[in-house]
Short mmCIF file of all heavy atoms in Angstrom, two decimals:
data_model
loop_
_atom_site.label_atom_id
_atom_site.label_comp_id
_atom_site.label_asym_id
_atom_site.label_seq_id
_atom_site.Cartn_x
_atom_site.Cartn_y
_atom_site.Cartn_z
N MET E 87 13.95 27.18 17.71
CA MET E 87 12.63 26.95 17.16
C MET E 87 12.71 26.42 15.74
O MET E 87 12.12 25.41 15.39
CB MET E 87 11.84 28.29 17.23
CG MET E 87 10.53 28.22 16.59
SD MET E 87 9.34 27.50 17.74
CE MET E 87 7.86 27.73 16.85
N LEU E 88 13.49 27.11 14.92
CA LEU E 88 13.65 26.68 13.52
C LEU E 88 14.37 25.34 13.45
O LEU E 88 14.03 24.50 12.61
CB LEU E 88 14.41 27.74 12.75
CG LEU E 88 14.61 27.48 11.24
CD1 LEU E 88 13.22 27.37 10.55
CD2 LEU E 88 15.40 28.57 10.61
N LEU E 89 15.33 25.15 14.31
CA LEU E 89 16.07 23.89 14.32
C LEU E 89 15.18 22.73 14.71
O LEU E 89 15.25 21.64 14.14
CB LEU E 89 17.25 23.98 15.29
CG LEU E 89 18.15 22.75 15.37
CD1 LEU E 89 18.80 22.45 14.04
CD2 LEU E 89 19.22 22.94 16.44
N ALA E 90 14.29 22.94 15.67
CA ALA E 90 13.35 21.88 16.09
C ALA E 90 12.40 21.50 14.95
O ALA E 90 12.14 20.32 14.71
CB ALA E 90 12.54 22.35 17.28
N ILE E 91 11.93 22.48 14.21
CA ILE E 91 11.03 22.20 13.08
C ILE E 91 11.81 21.45 11.99
O ILE E 91 11.29 20.49 11.42
CB ILE E 91 10.45 23.54 12.53
CG1 ILE E 91 9.55 24.17 13.56
CG2 ILE E 91 9.73 23.29 11.23
CD1 ILE E 91 9.03 25.54 13.17
N LEU E 92 13.02 21.86 11.74
CA LEU E 92 13.86 21.22 10.72
C LEU E 92 14.13 19.76 11.11
O LEU E 92 14.04 18.83 10.25
CB LEU E 92 15.16 21.98 10.54
CG LEU E 92 16.09 21.47 9.44
CD1 LEU E 92 15.39 21.57 8.08
CD2 LEU E 92 17.36 22.28 9.43
N LEU E 93 14.43 19.50 12.37
CA LEU E 93 14.69 18.12 12.83
C LEU E 93 13.42 17.24 12.74
O LEU E 93 13.49 16.09 12.42
CB LEU E 93 15.24 18.12 14.23
CG LEU E 93 16.67 18.62 14.37
CD1 LEU E 93 17.06 18.69 15.86
CD2 LEU E 93 17.62 17.75 13.59
N GLU E 94 12.26 17.86 13.02
CA GLU E 94 11.02 17.12 12.89
C GLU E 94 10.72 16.74 11.45
O GLU E 94 10.30 15.64 11.17
CB GLU E 94 9.88 17.96 13.48
CG GLU E 94 8.56 17.23 13.51
CD GLU E 94 7.46 18.08 14.17
OE1 GLU E 94 7.80 18.96 14.98
OE2 GLU E 94 6.28 17.82 13.81
N VAL E 95 10.97 17.66 10.54
CA VAL E 95 10.75 17.39 9.14
C VAL E 95 11.69 16.31 8.65
O VAL E 95 11.29 15.39 7.92
CB VAL E 95 10.91 18.66 8.28
CG1 VAL E 95 10.94 18.36 6.80
CG2 VAL E 95 9.77 19.62 8.57
N ILE E 96 12.95 16.36 9.04
CA ILE E 96 13.92 15.33 8.64
C ILE E 96 13.53 13.99 9.19
O ILE E 96 13.63 12.96 8.50
CB ILE E 96 15.35 15.76 9.07
CG1 ILE E 96 15.81 16.94 8.22
CG2 ILE E 96 16.31 14.57 8.94
CD1 ILE E 96 17.13 17.53 8.68
N GLY E 97 13.04 13.95 10.44
CA GLY E 97 12.61 12.67 11.04
C GLY E 97 11.44 12.07 10.31
O GLY E 97 11.40 10.88 10.07
N SER E 98 10.48 12.91 9.94
CA SER E 98 9.32 12.38 9.21
C SER E 98 9.72 11.95 7.79
O SER E 98 9.16 10.96 7.25
CB SER E 98 8.19 13.39 9.15
OG SER E 98 8.60 14.55 8.42
N LEU E 99 10.67 12.60 7.18
CA LEU E 99 11.16 12.21 5.86
C LEU E 99 11.90 10.86 5.94
O LEU E 99 11.79 10.05 5.02
CB LEU E 99 12.06 13.28 5.25
CG LEU E 99 11.35 14.50 4.70
CD1 LEU E 99 12.35 15.50 4.16
CD2 LEU E 99 10.38 14.12 3.61
N SER E 100 12.63 10.66 7.02
CA SER E 100 13.36 9.37 7.12
C SER E 100 12.36 8.23 7.32
O SER E 100 12.56 7.14 6.79
CB SER E 100 14.36 9.41 8.27
OG SER E 100 13.70 9.44 9.51
N GLN E 101 11.28 8.48 8.06
CA GLN E 101 10.26 7.45 8.23
C GLN E 101 9.57 7.18 6.88
O GLN E 101 9.28 6.03 6.55
CB GLN E 101 9.24 7.88 9.28
CG GLN E 101 9.81 7.85 10.65
CD GLN E 101 8.82 8.34 11.69
OE1 GLN E 101 7.82 8.93 11.36
NE2 GLN E 101 9.09 8.09 12.97
N PHE E 102 9.30 8.23 6.13
CA PHE E 102 8.68 8.05 4.81
C PHE E 102 9.62 7.27 3.89
O PHE E 102 9.20 6.39 3.16
CB PHE E 102 8.34 9.40 4.18
CG PHE E 102 7.82 9.29 2.82
CD1 PHE E 102 6.53 8.80 2.55
CD2 PHE E 102 8.58 9.65 1.68
CE1 PHE E 102 6.01 8.72 1.28
CE2 PHE E 102 8.09 9.56 0.42
CZ PHE E 102 6.82 9.08 0.21
N GLY E 103 10.90 7.60 3.93
CA GLY E 103 11.89 6.89 3.12
C GLY E 103 11.99 5.41 3.50
O GLY E 103 12.12 4.54 2.63
N ALA E 104 11.94 5.15 4.79
CA ALA E 104 12.01 3.75 5.24
C ALA E 104 10.78 2.98 4.79
O ALA E 104 10.89 1.84 4.36
CB ALA E 104 12.15 3.71 6.75
N ALA E 105 9.62 3.59 4.87
CA ALA E 105 8.38 2.92 4.41
C ALA E 105 8.40 2.71 2.90
O ALA E 105 7.98 1.65 2.42
CB ALA E 105 7.15 3.77 4.82
N LEU E 106 8.90 3.65 2.19
CA LEU E 106 9.00 3.54 0.72
C LEU E 106 9.98 2.43 0.35
O LEU E 106 9.72 1.61 -0.52
CB LEU E 106 9.45 4.85 0.10
CG LEU E 106 9.51 4.93 -1.40
CD1 LEU E 106 8.12 4.79 -1.95
CD2 LEU E 106 10.12 6.23 -1.81
N GLY E 107 11.12 2.37 1.06
CA GLY E 107 12.09 1.31 0.80
C GLY E 107 11.52 -0.09 1.11
O GLY E 107 11.76 -1.02 0.37
N ALA E 108 10.77 -0.21 2.22
CA ALA E 108 10.17 -1.49 2.55
C ALA E 108 9.16 -1.88 1.50
O ALA E 108 9.08 -3.07 1.12
CB ALA E 108 9.52 -1.41 3.94
N GLY E 109 8.37 -0.95 1.05
CA GLY E 109 7.40 -1.24 0.00
C GLY E 109 8.05 -1.66 -1.29
O GLY E 109 7.56 -2.62 -1.95
N LEU E 110 9.11 -1.00 -1.67
CA LEU E 110 9.80 -1.36 -2.91
C LEU E 110 10.43 -2.76 -2.80
O LEU E 110 10.47 -3.52 -3.76
CB LEU E 110 10.85 -0.34 -3.27
CG LEU E 110 10.35 1.00 -3.76
CD1 LEU E 110 11.46 1.99 -3.95
CD2 LEU E 110 9.55 0.82 -5.07
N ALA E 111 10.95 -3.09 -1.63
CA ALA E 111 11.56 -4.43 -1.43
C ALA E 111 10.50 -5.51 -1.59
O ALA E 111 10.74 -6.55 -2.20
CB ALA E 111 12.18 -4.50 -0.03
N VAL E 112 9.30 -5.29 -1.04
CA VAL E 112 8.24 -6.27 -1.13
C VAL E 112 7.74 -6.38 -2.56
O VAL E 112 7.48 -7.49 -3.05
CB VAL E 112 7.10 -5.90 -0.14
CG1 VAL E 112 5.88 -6.77 -0.39
CG2 VAL E 112 7.58 -6.04 1.29
N ILE E 113 7.62 -5.26 -3.24
CA ILE E 113 7.18 -5.30 -4.66
C ILE E 113 8.18 -6.03 -5.52
O ILE E 113 7.83 -6.86 -6.34
CB ILE E 113 6.93 -3.88 -5.15
CG1 ILE E 113 5.65 -3.28 -4.52
CG2 ILE E 113 6.80 -3.86 -6.69
CD1 ILE E 113 5.45 -1.85 -4.81
N GLY E 114 9.47 -5.76 -5.28
CA GLY E 114 10.53 -6.45 -6.03
C GLY E 114 10.53 -7.94 -5.79
O GLY E 114 10.70 -8.74 -6.71
N ALA E 115 10.30 -8.33 -4.54
CA ALA E 115 10.22 -9.79 -4.24
C ALA E 115 9.03 -10.43 -4.91
O ALA E 115 9.12 -11.54 -5.42
CB ALA E 115 10.16 -9.99 -2.74
N GLY E 116 7.91 -9.76 -4.92
CA GLY E 116 6.72 -10.27 -5.58
C GLY E 116 6.91 -10.46 -7.06
O GLY E 116 6.54 -11.47 -7.65
N ILE E 117 7.56 -9.49 -7.70
CA ILE E 117 7.85 -9.61 -9.14
C ILE E 117 8.82 -10.75 -9.39
O ILE E 117 8.61 -11.54 -10.35
CB ILE E 117 8.40 -8.26 -9.66
CG1 ILE E 117 7.31 -7.21 -9.67
CG2 ILE E 117 9.00 -8.43 -11.06
CD1 ILE E 117 7.79 -5.81 -9.97
N GLY E 118 9.85 -10.86 -8.57
CA GLY E 118 10.84 -11.92 -8.75
C GLY E 118 10.24 -13.31 -8.60
O GLY E 118 10.49 -14.20 -9.40
N ILE E 119 9.45 -13.49 -7.55
CA ILE E 119 8.83 -14.79 -7.32
C ILE E 119 7.81 -15.09 -8.43
O ILE E 119 7.68 -16.26 -8.86
CB ILE E 119 8.17 -14.85 -5.90
CG1 ILE E 119 9.28 -14.82 -4.88
CG2 ILE E 119 7.33 -16.08 -5.75
CD1 ILE E 119 8.78 -14.70 -3.45
N GLY E 120 7.10 -14.09 -8.89
CA GLY E 120 6.16 -14.30 -9.99
C GLY E 120 6.85 -14.75 -11.26
O GLY E 120 6.35 -15.62 -11.97
N LYS E 121 7.97 -14.11 -11.56
CA LYS E 121 8.71 -14.52 -12.76
C LYS E 121 9.25 -15.94 -12.64
O LYS E 121 9.22 -16.72 -13.59
CB LYS E 121 9.85 -13.54 -13.05
CG LYS E 121 9.37 -12.18 -13.54
CD LYS E 121 10.50 -11.24 -13.85
CE LYS E 121 11.19 -11.57 -15.13
NZ LYS E 121 10.46 -11.30 -16.35
N ILE E 122 9.77 -16.29 -11.44
CA ILE E 122 10.28 -17.64 -11.24
C ILE E 122 9.17 -18.63 -11.42
O ILE E 122 9.30 -19.67 -12.09
CB ILE E 122 10.91 -17.75 -9.82
CG1 ILE E 122 12.23 -17.04 -9.80
CG2 ILE E 122 11.12 -19.22 -9.47
CD1 ILE E 122 12.84 -16.96 -8.43
N GLY E 123 8.03 -18.38 -10.77
CA GLY E 123 6.89 -19.31 -10.87
C GLY E 123 6.36 -19.45 -12.28
O GLY E 123 6.09 -20.57 -12.74
N GLY E 124 6.19 -18.36 -12.98
CA GLY E 124 5.73 -18.40 -14.33
C GLY E 124 6.64 -19.16 -15.28
O GLY E 124 6.20 -20.01 -16.08
N ASN E 125 7.95 -18.88 -15.17
CA ASN E 125 8.91 -19.58 -16.03
C ASN E 125 9.03 -21.06 -15.68
O ASN E 125 9.21 -21.89 -16.55
CB ASN E 125 10.24 -18.89 -15.95
CG ASN E 125 10.27 -17.53 -16.62
OD1 ASN E 125 9.46 -17.26 -17.50
ND2 ASN E 125 11.16 -16.67 -16.19
N ALA E 126 8.89 -21.38 -14.38
CA ALA E 126 8.99 -22.78 -14.00
C ALA E 126 7.77 -23.57 -14.52
O ALA E 126 7.93 -24.68 -14.98
CB ALA E 126 9.05 -22.88 -12.47
N VAL E 127 6.60 -22.98 -14.42
CA VAL E 127 5.40 -23.66 -14.94
C VAL E 127 5.49 -23.84 -16.46
O VAL E 127 5.13 -24.90 -17.03
CB VAL E 127 4.10 -22.89 -14.56
CG1 VAL E 127 2.90 -23.39 -15.30
CG2 VAL E 127 3.90 -22.97 -13.05
N GLU E 128 5.99 -22.84 -17.14
CA GLU E 128 6.17 -22.96 -18.60
C GLU E 128 7.19 -24.06 -18.95
O GLU E 128 6.96 -24.82 -19.86
CB GLU E 128 6.64 -21.61 -19.17
CG GLU E 128 6.81 -21.61 -20.65
CD GLU E 128 7.27 -20.26 -21.19
OE1 GLU E 128 7.19 -19.28 -20.43
OE2 GLU E 128 7.73 -20.22 -22.33
N SER E 129 8.27 -24.12 -18.17
CA SER E 129 9.27 -25.15 -18.40
C SER E 129 8.72 -26.56 -18.13
O SER E 129 9.02 -27.52 -18.82
CB SER E 129 10.51 -24.91 -17.54
OG SER E 129 11.11 -23.68 -17.87
N MET E 130 7.90 -26.66 -17.06
CA MET E 130 7.29 -27.95 -16.72
C MET E 130 6.33 -28.38 -17.80
O MET E 130 6.19 -29.60 -18.08
CB MET E 130 6.58 -27.87 -15.38
CG MET E 130 7.50 -27.81 -14.19
SD MET E 130 6.52 -27.70 -12.67
CE MET E 130 7.66 -26.93 -11.58
N ALA E 131 5.63 -27.43 -18.44
CA ALA E 131 4.72 -27.78 -19.49
C ALA E 131 5.46 -28.26 -20.73
O ALA E 131 5.01 -29.14 -21.45
CB ALA E 131 3.85 -26.59 -19.85
N ARG E 132 6.65 -27.71 -20.98
CA ARG E 132 7.42 -28.11 -22.17
C ARG E 132 8.13 -29.44 -21.95
O ARG E 132 8.22 -30.24 -22.86
CB ARG E 132 8.45 -27.03 -22.49
CG ARG E 132 7.83 -25.76 -23.04
CD ARG E 132 8.89 -24.73 -23.27
NE ARG E 132 8.30 -23.47 -23.63
CZ ARG E 132 8.39 -22.93 -24.85
NH1 ARG E 132 9.07 -23.54 -25.77
NH2 ARG E 132 7.83 -21.79 -25.11
N GLN E 133 8.65 -29.67 -20.73
CA GLN E 133 9.36 -30.90 -20.44
C GLN E 133 8.90 -31.45 -19.09
O GLN E 133 9.51 -31.18 -18.07
CB GLN E 133 10.87 -30.67 -20.42
CG GLN E 133 11.43 -30.26 -21.76
CD GLN E 133 12.93 -30.04 -21.72
OE1 GLN E 133 13.49 -29.81 -20.65
NE2 GLN E 133 13.57 -30.17 -22.86
N PRO E 134 7.84 -32.21 -19.11
CA PRO E 134 7.26 -32.71 -17.82
C PRO E 134 8.19 -33.66 -17.06
O PRO E 134 8.06 -33.79 -15.86
CB PRO E 134 6.00 -33.43 -18.24
CG PRO E 134 5.72 -33.05 -19.64
CD PRO E 134 6.97 -32.56 -20.22
N GLU E 135 9.14 -34.28 -17.73
CA GLU E 135 10.02 -35.24 -17.07
C GLU E 135 10.99 -34.53 -16.12
O GLU E 135 11.54 -35.18 -15.20
CB GLU E 135 10.78 -36.09 -18.06
CG GLU E 135 11.72 -35.32 -18.98
CD GLU E 135 11.07 -34.83 -20.26
OE1 GLU E 135 9.81 -34.93 -20.40
OE2 GLU E 135 11.78 -34.33 -21.15
N PHE E 136 11.20 -33.24 -16.25
CA PHE E 136 12.11 -32.46 -15.38
C PHE E 136 11.33 -31.68 -14.31
O PHE E 136 11.90 -30.79 -13.68
CB PHE E 136 12.97 -31.54 -16.17
CG PHE E 136 13.98 -32.25 -17.05
CD1 PHE E 136 13.94 -32.11 -18.41
CD2 PHE E 136 14.95 -33.04 -16.48
CE1 PHE E 136 14.85 -32.79 -19.21
CE2 PHE E 136 15.88 -33.71 -17.30
CZ PHE E 136 15.82 -33.57 -18.65
N ALA E 137 10.05 -32.00 -14.13
CA ALA E 137 9.22 -31.19 -13.24
C ALA E 137 9.72 -31.20 -11.79
O ALA E 137 9.71 -30.17 -11.12
CB ALA E 137 7.77 -31.69 -13.29
N SER E 138 10.15 -32.35 -11.31
CA SER E 138 10.59 -32.37 -9.88
C SER E 138 11.87 -31.59 -9.66
O SER E 138 12.01 -30.92 -8.67
CB SER E 138 10.78 -33.85 -9.45
OG SER E 138 11.82 -34.43 -10.19
N ASN E 139 12.81 -31.64 -10.64
CA ASN E 139 14.02 -30.88 -10.54
C ASN E 139 13.76 -29.38 -10.59
O ASN E 139 14.30 -28.58 -9.83
CB ASN E 139 15.01 -31.26 -11.61
CG ASN E 139 15.55 -32.66 -11.47
OD1 ASN E 139 15.47 -33.23 -10.40
ND2 ASN E 139 16.03 -33.21 -12.57
N LEU E 140 12.84 -28.98 -11.50
CA LEU E 140 12.48 -27.57 -11.63
C LEU E 140 11.75 -27.06 -10.38
O LEU E 140 11.99 -25.94 -9.92
CB LEU E 140 11.61 -27.37 -12.86
CG LEU E 140 12.30 -27.48 -14.21
CD1 LEU E 140 11.30 -27.47 -15.33
CD2 LEU E 140 13.29 -26.35 -14.37
N GLN E 141 10.91 -27.91 -9.83
CA GLN E 141 10.17 -27.49 -8.64
C GLN E 141 11.11 -27.27 -7.44
O GLN E 141 10.95 -26.28 -6.73
CB GLN E 141 9.11 -28.52 -8.29
CG GLN E 141 8.19 -28.11 -7.20
CD GLN E 141 7.09 -29.13 -6.95
OE1 GLN E 141 7.13 -30.24 -7.40
NE2 GLN E 141 6.10 -28.72 -6.18
N THR E 142 12.06 -28.14 -7.30
CA THR E 142 13.04 -27.96 -6.22
C THR E 142 13.83 -26.67 -6.39
O THR E 142 14.02 -25.91 -5.44
CB THR E 142 13.99 -29.15 -6.16
OG1 THR E 142 13.22 -30.37 -6.02
CG2 THR E 142 14.98 -29.02 -5.03
N ALA E 143 14.31 -26.44 -7.60
CA ALA E 143 15.10 -25.23 -7.87
C ALA E 143 14.26 -23.99 -7.68
O ALA E 143 14.73 -22.97 -7.17
CB ALA E 143 15.65 -25.28 -9.28
N MET E 144 12.97 -24.06 -8.10
CA MET E 144 12.06 -22.93 -7.95
C MET E 144 11.82 -22.60 -6.48
O MET E 144 11.84 -21.40 -6.09
CB MET E 144 10.75 -23.23 -8.64
CG MET E 144 9.71 -22.12 -8.54
SD MET E 144 8.12 -22.55 -9.21
CE MET E 144 7.58 -23.80 -8.04
N ILE E 145 11.65 -23.58 -5.67
CA ILE E 145 11.38 -23.36 -4.23
C ILE E 145 12.60 -22.79 -3.55
O ILE E 145 12.51 -21.84 -2.74
CB ILE E 145 10.91 -24.68 -3.54
CG1 ILE E 145 9.53 -25.02 -4.05
CG2 ILE E 145 10.95 -24.53 -2.05
CD1 ILE E 145 9.04 -26.38 -3.59
N ILE E 146 13.78 -23.25 -3.91
CA ILE E 146 15.00 -22.71 -3.32
C ILE E 146 15.21 -21.27 -3.73
O ILE E 146 15.53 -20.39 -2.88
CB ILE E 146 16.22 -23.58 -3.68
CG1 ILE E 146 16.14 -24.93 -3.02
CG2 ILE E 146 17.54 -22.87 -3.37
CD1 ILE E 146 17.17 -25.93 -3.49
N ALA E 147 15.03 -20.97 -5.01
CA ALA E 147 15.21 -19.57 -5.47
C ALA E 147 14.18 -18.64 -4.85
O ALA E 147 14.49 -17.51 -4.46
CB ALA E 147 15.11 -19.55 -6.99
N SER E 148 12.93 -19.09 -4.72
CA SER E 148 11.90 -18.29 -4.09
C SER E 148 12.19 -18.04 -2.63
O SER E 148 11.97 -16.92 -2.13
CB SER E 148 10.54 -18.99 -4.22
OG SER E 148 10.15 -19.09 -5.57
N ALA E 149 12.73 -19.00 -1.94
CA ALA E 149 13.09 -18.82 -0.55
C ALA E 149 14.21 -17.79 -0.38
O ALA E 149 14.21 -17.00 0.54
CB ALA E 149 13.46 -20.16 0.09
N LEU E 150 15.20 -17.86 -1.28
CA LEU E 150 16.28 -16.89 -1.21
C LEU E 150 15.80 -15.48 -1.49
O LEU E 150 16.21 -14.53 -0.80
CB LEU E 150 17.40 -17.28 -2.23
CG LEU E 150 18.18 -18.54 -1.88
CD1 LEU E 150 19.12 -18.89 -3.01
CD2 LEU E 150 18.94 -18.33 -0.59
N ILE E 151 14.93 -15.34 -2.44
CA ILE E 151 14.36 -14.00 -2.78
C ILE E 151 13.55 -13.49 -1.56
O ILE E 151 13.66 -12.34 -1.19
CB ILE E 151 13.51 -14.04 -4.04
CG1 ILE E 151 14.39 -14.26 -5.26
CG2 ILE E 151 12.67 -12.78 -4.17
CD1 ILE E 151 13.63 -14.43 -6.54
N GLU E 152 12.76 -14.34 -1.00
CA GLU E 152 11.94 -13.96 0.15
C GLU E 152 12.81 -13.60 1.36
O GLU E 152 12.50 -12.65 2.09
CB GLU E 152 10.98 -15.09 0.52
CG GLU E 152 9.85 -14.71 1.39
CD GLU E 152 8.87 -13.81 0.65
OE1 GLU E 152 8.67 -13.94 -0.53
OE2 GLU E 152 8.31 -12.89 1.36
N GLY E 153 13.92 -14.30 1.55
CA GLY E 153 14.80 -13.96 2.62
C GLY E 153 15.45 -12.60 2.47
O GLY E 153 15.55 -11.81 3.42
N VAL E 154 15.86 -12.27 1.25
CA VAL E 154 16.44 -10.97 0.99
C VAL E 154 15.40 -9.88 1.16
O VAL E 154 15.69 -8.82 1.75
CB VAL E 154 17.04 -10.92 -0.45
CG1 VAL E 154 17.43 -9.51 -0.83
CG2 VAL E 154 18.23 -11.83 -0.52
N ALA E 155 14.20 -10.10 0.73
CA ALA E 155 13.12 -9.13 0.90
C ALA E 155 12.81 -8.91 2.39
O ALA E 155 12.62 -7.76 2.84
CB ALA E 155 11.89 -9.56 0.15
N LEU E 156 12.79 -9.96 3.15
CA LEU E 156 12.50 -9.85 4.59
C LEU E 156 13.64 -9.07 5.26
O LEU E 156 13.38 -8.19 6.12
CB LEU E 156 12.36 -11.23 5.23
CG LEU E 156 12.09 -11.21 6.73
CD1 LEU E 156 10.72 -10.58 7.02
CD2 LEU E 156 12.12 -12.64 7.27
N PHE E 157 14.88 -9.32 4.90
CA PHE E 157 16.01 -8.59 5.46
C PHE E 157 15.90 -7.10 5.11
O PHE E 157 16.12 -6.24 5.97
CB PHE E 157 17.30 -9.14 4.89
CG PHE E 157 18.53 -8.47 5.40
CD1 PHE E 157 18.96 -8.63 6.73
CD2 PHE E 157 19.28 -7.67 4.60
CE1 PHE E 157 20.08 -7.98 7.20
CE2 PHE E 157 20.41 -7.01 5.06
CZ PHE E 157 20.80 -7.18 6.37
N ALA E 158 15.50 -6.79 3.86
CA ALA E 158 15.37 -5.39 3.45
C ALA E 158 14.25 -4.70 4.23
O ALA E 158 14.39 -3.54 4.63
CB ALA E 158 15.13 -5.30 1.95
N VAL E 159 13.14 -5.38 4.44
CA VAL E 159 12.04 -4.79 5.18
C VAL E 159 12.45 -4.54 6.64
O VAL E 159 12.14 -3.48 7.20
CB VAL E 159 10.80 -5.70 5.11
CG1 VAL E 159 9.73 -5.29 6.10
CG2 VAL E 159 10.21 -5.70 3.69
N VAL E 160 13.16 -5.47 7.26
CA VAL E 160 13.61 -5.28 8.64
C VAL E 160 14.56 -4.12 8.74
O VAL E 160 14.46 -3.28 9.65
CB VAL E 160 14.24 -6.60 9.18
CG1 VAL E 160 14.95 -6.36 10.48
CG2 VAL E 160 13.17 -7.65 9.34
N VAL E 161 15.50 -4.00 7.81
CA VAL E 161 16.45 -2.87 7.82
C VAL E 161 15.69 -1.56 7.67
O VAL E 161 15.95 -0.58 8.37
CB VAL E 161 17.50 -3.06 6.74
CG1 VAL E 161 18.28 -1.77 6.54
CG2 VAL E 161 18.43 -4.19 7.08
N CYS E 162 14.72 -1.50 6.76
CA CYS E 162 13.96 -0.28 6.55
C CYS E 162 13.13 0.07 7.79
O CYS E 162 13.05 1.26 8.16
CB CYS E 162 13.05 -0.40 5.32
SG CYS E 162 13.93 -0.43 3.78
N LEU E 163 12.56 -0.92 8.42
CA LEU E 163 11.81 -0.64 9.63
C LEU E 163 12.71 -0.17 10.76
O LEU E 163 12.33 0.71 11.54
CB LEU E 163 11.03 -1.87 10.06
CG LEU E 163 9.83 -2.23 9.16
CD1 LEU E 163 9.17 -3.52 9.62
CD2 LEU E 163 8.82 -1.12 9.11
N LEU E 164 13.87 -0.74 10.88
CA LEU E 164 14.80 -0.27 11.93
C LEU E 164 15.26 1.15 11.67
O LEU E 164 15.42 1.94 12.59
CB LEU E 164 16.04 -1.21 11.97
CG LEU E 164 15.79 -2.56 12.59
CD1 LEU E 164 17.04 -3.43 12.49
CD2 LEU E 164 15.38 -2.45 14.04
N ILE E 165 15.48 1.52 10.42
CA ILE E 165 15.84 2.90 10.08
C ILE E 165 14.66 3.80 10.41
O ILE E 165 14.86 4.94 10.93
CB ILE E 165 16.21 3.00 8.59
CG1 ILE E 165 17.56 2.31 8.36
CG2 ILE E 165 16.32 4.46 8.15
CD1 ILE E 165 17.93 2.19 6.89
N GLY E 166 13.45 3.38 10.08
CA GLY E 166 12.27 4.24 10.34
C GLY E 166 12.00 4.43 11.80
O GLY E 166 11.49 5.47 12.21
N LEU E 167 12.30 3.44 12.62
CA LEU E 167 12.03 3.55 14.05
C LEU E 167 13.14 4.24 14.82
O LEU E 167 12.94 4.65 15.97
CB LEU E 167 11.80 2.16 14.62
CG LEU E 167 10.54 1.42 14.13
CD1 LEU E 167 10.53 0.02 14.72
CD2 LEU E 167 9.30 2.19 14.47
N ALA E 168 14.29 4.39 14.19
CA ALA E 168 15.42 5.02 14.87
C ALA E 168 15.30 6.51 14.96
O ALA E 168 14.55 7.15 14.35
CB ALA E 168 16.74 4.68 14.18
#
């Protein structure tokens, strides 16, 4: 009886931890992409002749950050569902 209750509590805690990890991954990705976008716009305002190069680099960096965040969310969801 006590073991069943303990296992149920541990299971719910692992689901909570997985949800918390997924949320933190998404928040971190949002902050990272926001910083990239803000700094890129500021750089384009200072030197408009490099705008196309900065835009390309910004899109690549944002895609890499988004990919890592998606991977983290998938891993957290797999842990939570297991």
Side-chain angles (χ1 to χ4, degrees):
M87 175 82 174
L88 183 60
L89 182 62
I91 294 172
L92 185 61
L93 289 175
E94 184 178 335
V95 169
I96 290 173
S98 63
L99 284 178
S100 70
Q101 290 176 347
F102 176 73
L106 185 65
L110 288 175
V112 171
I113 289 171
I117 290 171
I119 292 172
K121 289 182 76 71
I122 287 173
N125 290 336
V127 169
E128 182 180 344
S129 298
M130 287 179 205
R132 290 176 186 249
Q133 295 181 338
E135 62 271 9
F136 292 117
S138 64
N139 294 340
L140 288 171
Q141 187 175 13
T142 303
M144 178 186 69
I145 290 172
I146 291 171
S148 296
L150 291 173
I151 290 174
E152 198 67 35
V154 169
L156 180 65
F157 180 71
V159 168
V160 168
V161 167
C162 290
L163 289 177
L164 287 174
I165 290 171
L167 295 175

